[in-house]
Amino acid sequence: LGRGFVLKEGFEYVWATNTITDLPLPFIPPMRNQLELRYEADHFNAFFRWEYVFAQDRVERNERETADASLLHVGVTGKWNLSGVPVNLTLAVQNIFNVPFFDHLSRYRQLNIPEPGRNIMVRLVVPLEWENR
């Protein structure tokens, strides 16, 4: 793509069938596709990740179907060296558009409780070292 840019794509798919009843097994995750554009520099990283979770309509007879969802996640990370100590600070937002969706593998789905909406994360990483005496 260009200097510092990385493009990643991932695809997940599971197919499982009960060979006796010829029905799908319960709690099989739906297909999922992720596309990520990342910029990597010496002291700064940023990413945009689009995630599409397909509907799961291939379910066991007593299991509810799950609708599809399209989610966008963004984040930035800064790296500093403070007095010889490496420090990383990350700010990320998952599900930036606050899309309501159900995870097919979640037990909360049975109670009609969707996954958390927009999730803002701040992470500070400072390595600590101790001397053994």
Side-chain angles (χ1 to χ4, degrees), residues 6-10 34-38 40:
V6 177
L7 183 64
K8 293 182 181 179
E9 200 276 337
Q34 293 184 356
L35 183 64
E36 178 177 284
L37 176 62
R38 179 176 293 274
E40 298 177 349

Side-chain angles (χ1 to χ4, degrees), residues 31-107:
M31 286 188 291
R32 180 181 303 255
N33 189 37
Q34 293 184 356
L35 183 64
E36 178 177 284
L37 176 62
R38 179 176 293 274
Y39 176 74
E40 298 177 349
D42 290 337
H43 300 289
F44 173 81
N45 294 336
F47 74 86
F48 294 90
R49 182 182 309 122
W50 171 72
E51 179 177 6
Y52 184 73
V53 182
F54 290 79
Q56 180 57 292
D57 54 5
R58 189 174 182 278
V59 294
E60 195 257 349
R61 68 179 70 130
N62 295 321
E63 187 178 18
R64 290 181 16 203
E65 295 180 356
T66 306
D68 65 334
S70 183
L71 310 170
L72 182 64
H73 316 294
V74 297
V76 295
T77 298
K79 303 173 186 178
W80 296 275
N81 193 348
L82 299 176
S83 300
V85 178
V87 175
N88 291 347
L89 178 64
T90 301
L91 174 62
V93 181
Q94 293 178 324
N95 192 3
I96 196 166
F97 295 118
N98 202 25
V99 174
F101 74 101
F102 292 91
D103 182 348
H104 189 74
L105 301 182
S106 173
R107 297 288 182 180

